[in-house]
Amino acid sequence: MPALGYQVGGSGDGGGRGFVDASFTGAGEPNSFGTVTPGSRPEPGDILPVLKSLLPKRLHIYSEGGTGADGHVVVVDPDKGYTTYIQAVRTAGDKEFWSQTLADGTKVGTRRTAGEQPGVIELRADALRVNGLWMSLTAYNAPSPTSKKRGAEPAITLDELKAMAVSRAWLLAR
């Protein structure tokens, strides 16, 4: 996949100065993610297809839905029988629980907390890119955030959720 972005300052020779990720779409058109303002409201997009494409292959989709700027799936791990709700939301912001900064400047935060129902586990992975694109993925060991647990753990690990959150595939979502 070709790099999508532009060089800020310098000669554009890739010298590592200020590369802004996803400033242009694959067709070369300006990408609105290049100008997302922290705190702004998300626009409709194609989050659900990207979410589905990033799921670990071992998981089977039981149901799906979304409103454009977010998407969710209920997946089943056929080997363990666990049912997990996974949601992806595109948001904009500049404050959160960042615990790591990647080489490209992307801030990453992960956490594991208790869900609303007894025994429900919530896993969350967020990635904030330098251009303002903030993807937040949440998974529960339940068929919805407010349901009773179905399995001891979510069918996806926190590391897998983090890998999905930092995926470059989100850069091409509208």
Side-chain angles (χ1 to χ4, degrees):
M1 171 187 287
L4 303 174
Y6 62 89
Q7 186 75 26
V8 177
S11 63
D13 62 359
R17 294 181 302 275
F19 185 78
V20 179
D21 219 353
S23 297
F24 298 95
T25 66
E29 298 297 318
N31 186 339
S32 63
F33 281 149
T35 57
V36 170
T37 303
S40 65
R41 296 183 49 81
E43 298 173 8
D46 50 2
I47 298 299
L48 183 59
V50 176
L51 172 62
K52 290 168 46 177
S53 76
L54 294 173
L55 290 170
K57 301 300 179 212
R58 72 176 186 286
L59 301 178
H60 296 202
I61 297 173
Y62 178 76
S63 67
E64 62 186 60
T67 61
D70 70 3
H72 67 268
V73 292
V74 176
V75 297
V76 176
D77 182 330
D79 295 333
K80 297 181 180 178
Y82 294 170
T83 301
T84 296
Y85 177 92
I86 302 172
Q87 180 178 26
V89 177
R90 187 188 97 195
T91 187
D94 57 0
K95 297 178 184 172
E96 193 53 39
F97 54 96
W98 313 117
S99 57
Q100 179 184 12
T101 301
L102 304 180
D104 68 356
T106 301
K107 294 179 183 179
V108 180
T110 59
R111 66 180 171 195
R112 176 188 175 106
T113 58
E116 291 183 25
Q117 297 289 330
V120 172
I121 298 166
E122 175 187 302
L123 303 179
R124 182 170 165 188
D126 286 39
L128 175 61
R129 295 196 176 268
V130 296
N131 65 359
L133 170 61
W134 181 354
M135 288 305 303
S136 180
L137 280 83
T138 309
Y140 302 87
N141 58 328
S144 78
T146 58
S147 299
K148 293 183 179 181
K149 74 175 187 172
R150 292 238 187 111
E153 294 283 328
I156 191 167
T157 67
L158 193 52
D159 284 341
E160 289 171 322
L161 205 61
K162 175 183 168 185
M164 291 170 63
V166 301
S167 172
R168 293 182 56 82
W170 299 115
L171 297 172
L172 297 178
R174 290 179 287 130

